[in-house]
Amino acid sequence: MTIHLPSPDGALRAYEPRTEPLALTPGTPFTSRTVFSAAHVVADPFADTHPDAPAAVDWDATLAFRRHLWAHGLGVAEAMDTAQRGMGLDWAGAAELIRRSAAEARAVGGRIACGVGTDQITGGSLADVRAAYEEQLALVEESGAQAVLMASRALAAAAQGPEDYLDVYGHLLRQAAEPVVLHWLGPMFDPALTGYWGSADLDVATDTFLEVIAAHPDKVDGIKVSLLDAEREVDLRRRLPQGVRCYTGDDFNYPELIAGDERGFSHALLGIFDPLGPLAAEAVRILDTGDTAGFRGLLDPTVELSRHLFQSPTRFYKTGVVFLAWLAGHQTHFTMVGGLQSARSLPHFARAYELADGLGLFPDPKSAEDRMRTLLALYGVAR
């Protein structure tokens, strides 16, 4: 049946939903790339809460979604930006998420890396920042997960220049038990991180970032770059010390960056692989066979959806990710911690549905259509 979807100009357009999903099943582990999907959290829709209250999480549904990702061979990047760190999920909630997800990973044999930040403080001195990082690093290491040292709002506020970043990160890397992933999240994802690494000039910031890595190459498994600039990522990738990986976090240009060129490639740690999980896994398995064209043929068509979800204000991409999880049947409701389900418009949701349905991402297209109709009715679209 035709469904009528609202456009940004207020008009309704007819869309014919597909009737069959893309046939994707779990397969063998990846051999050519290491791939993490950042994963969202599922809110408890029955909690009597409000946006300023601590997050109320549906733990069963949240862990079930991680098992879904692991079943397709993806690693889980836990308690990071996609899980609404600093946008509805506080440190207490993130700590519980890390404990539970790491235990689940051990139980099913899944790969997991967890975000280490400073969000238990809102400001303070460099000593306060170091102590906050240390507390979170200790918890992640005790859980048995790999650590991802996330960019810190508190450090961005306290640092006076590049030397403060060199000091803080050097201190943390010296005490890390295992090699970590360093995370550079651009200001399009979080405006409070403007000027990270001590300069708003990205060339200067890159030099400082590389100086941190060069001083401790044995403690850096890789870097996760989320600057939405493919050329800059390739340049940075080529300047890394031998053995240090680049995990792309570029949700605009990931197919070309993962495919790579004659001088190298990027691994992946991506928020868009939350809704694309099974399809992304299939594409990487094709790449494992050496079929780059087949990989690009499957993954390139997903870029339009990703760019739509990550359009400015980019930090609200989580709303689209959870919306698609609801349509795909991974959760029974469209409620988010912090009330973030209100962060995108109905035309935005309509286009996300249309693009995802066109890709065959919904295991049950009819159920997804029914849920989309429910949302339309809620907004007063009766047709």
Side-chain angles (χ1 to χ4, degrees):
M1 293 178 62
T2 299
I3 184 171
H4 291 87
L5 301 175
S7 300
D9 62 3
L12 293 177
R13 65 184 185 279
Y15 174 70
E16 297 288 340
R18 67 184 293 156
T19 58
E20 297 293 333
L22 196 63
L24 298 168
T25 58
T28 57
F30 310 138
T31 58
S32 65
R33 303 290 189 275
T34 300
V35 181
F36 290 95
S37 168
H40 73 279
V41 293
V42 182
D44 178 356
F46 302 116
D48 184 10
T49 186
H50 55 82
D52 294 331
V57 177
D58 181 337
W59 294 112
D60 289 342
T62 293
L63 295 176
F65 187 76
R66 280 131 185 84
R67 291 193 296 272
H68 155 73
L69 295 173
W70 285 318
H72 285 275
L74 297 159
V76 168
E78 187 58 277
M80 297 187 65
D81 190 47
T82 305
Q84 296 182 240
R85 288 289 290 270
M87 291 185 68
L89 187 71
D90 61 10
W91 167 236
E96 184 66 13
L97 179 63
I98 289 166
R99 294 187 190 98
R100 289 175 181 257
S101 291
E104 196 73 16
R106 289 194 301 273
V108 304
R111 183 165 186 166
I112 188 168
C114 296
V116 171
T118 63
D119 46 333
Q120 70 272 53
I121 62 173
T122 56
S125 66
L126 291 175
D128 295 327
V129 171
R130 285 194 298 269
Y133 264 131
E134 288 172 342
E135 177 188 356
Q136 296 199 15
L137 178 61
L139 184 144
V140 169
E141 290 184 338
E142 288 168 5
S143 77
Q146 184 177 17
V148 180
L149 294 187
M150 300 171 65
S152 162
R153 293 173 180 172
L155 178 55
Q160 298 299 305
E163 64 283 352
D164 289 334
Y165 289 89
L166 293 170
D167 176 67
V168 169
Y169 277 93
H171 178 83
L172 294 168
L173 289 172
R174 282 190 294 271
Q175 64 182 272
E178 301 291 342
V180 307
V181 177
L182 296 180
H183 185 196
W184 187 355
L185 191 69
M188 67 288 294
F189 288 93
D190 188 344
L193 300 177
T194 300
Y196 212 73
W197 304 109
S199 178
D201 183 323
L202 290 180
D203 292 332
V204 175
T206 297
D207 288 341
T208 302
F209 188 43
L210 288 168
E211 188 175 347
V212 170
I213 298 164
H216 308 276
D218 59 321
K219 289 297 187 73
V220 181
D221 165 72
I223 62 170
K224 194 266 190 180
V225 187
S226 299
L227 297 176
L228 304 184
D229 184 333
E231 184 177 349
R232 183 170 294 280
E233 178 175 322
V234 170
D235 176 70
L236 177 56
R237 185 175 76 197
R238 291 173 177 171
R239 297 172 65 187
L240 292 173
Q242 186 70 28
V244 176
R245 309 181 196 196
C246 180
Y247 294 91
T248 187
D250 187 332
D251 300 278
F252 281 9
N253 305 292
Y254 50 94
E256 65 185 84
L257 291 164
I258 297 171
D261 55 31
E262 68 281 355
R263 296 178 60 184
F265 56 82
S266 294
H267 300 270
L269 196 165
L270 287 160
I272 190 56
F273 281 5
D274 180 302
L276 293 183
L279 189 152
E282 181 67 19
V284 175
R285 290 191 184 92
I286 292 172
L287 185 61
D288 286 346
T289 70
D291 184 0
T292 302
F295 166 80
R296 294 293 299 269
L298 190 57
L299 209 56
D300 280 359
T302 69
V303 171
E304 186 178 4
L305 171 63
S306 188
R307 292 190 175 200
H308 177 72
L309 296 183
F310 284 78
Q311 67 183 221
S312 183
T314 304
R315 63 188 181 278
F316 295 126
Y317 76 88
K318 298 96 166 171
T319 300
V321 165
V322 175
F323 170 66
L324 293 182
W326 172 55
L327 293 185
H330 295 298
Q331 53 195 81
T332 60
H333 59 87
F334 180 34
T335 303
M336 297 178 67
V337 298
L340 209 63
Q341 67 272 13
S342 65
R344 293 294 199 189
S345 69
L346 183 61
H348 181 90
F349 294 137
R351 184 60 177 156
Y353 162 73
E354 184 177 7
L355 290 170
D357 182 71
L359 291 168
L361 295 185
F362 301 131
D364 184 342
K366 185 60 172 65
S367 175
E369 178 190 341
D370 289 344
R371 290 184 174 192
M372 187 66 218
R373 290 184 185 277
T374 297
L375 186 71
L376 291 170
L378 180 65
Y379 276 79
V381 180
R383 293 180 63 184

